[in-house]
Amino acid sequence: MRAKLVKIGNSQGLRLAKPLLEQVGLTDEVEIQAAPGLLTIRPVSAPRAGWAEAAAAVPPEGLLDGPVANRFDEEDWQW
């Protein structure tokens, strides 16, 4: 695909077709890296994306482990 640079104030921009953006998963924010003769545009990764939804799907009783007996409980502690 060919595209033209367009003037935006004192800068230049590049218009990308919506289907192209959807195909590669680019949304509001991107990461751009430059190398000689090459620009790489990637979606910004969200390291914790989906954590809240995953936690909400687990029943509350499934979030904590049960008690674990150890030597201290059996030998040193007096109940």
Side-chain angles (χ1 to χ4, degrees):
M1 170 186 274
R2 288 183 175 229
K4 289 192 174 197
L5 294 174
V6 294
K7 187 164 178 64
I8 303 173
N10 289 331
S11 299
Q12 290 184 317
L14 183 64
R15 289 191 196 136
L16 301 173
K18 183 177 179 179
L20 181 64
L21 295 172
E22 290 172 348
Q23 180 180 354
V24 295
L26 297 179
T27 56
D28 294 335
E29 193 174 356
V30 296
E31 183 178 314
I32 302 172
Q33 292 179 325
L38 177 71
L39 283 178
T40 304
I41 305 172
R42 293 188 181 110
V44 172
S45 64
R48 292 176 183 85
W51 282 20
E53 295 82 6
V58 177
E61 60 275 4
L63 293 177
L64 300 175
D65 292 334
V68 176
N70 56 41
R71 188 180 60 80
F72 176 79
D73 289 335
E74 296 171 5
E75 297 173 8
D76 298 331
W77 184 256
Q78 293 189 19
W79 297 94

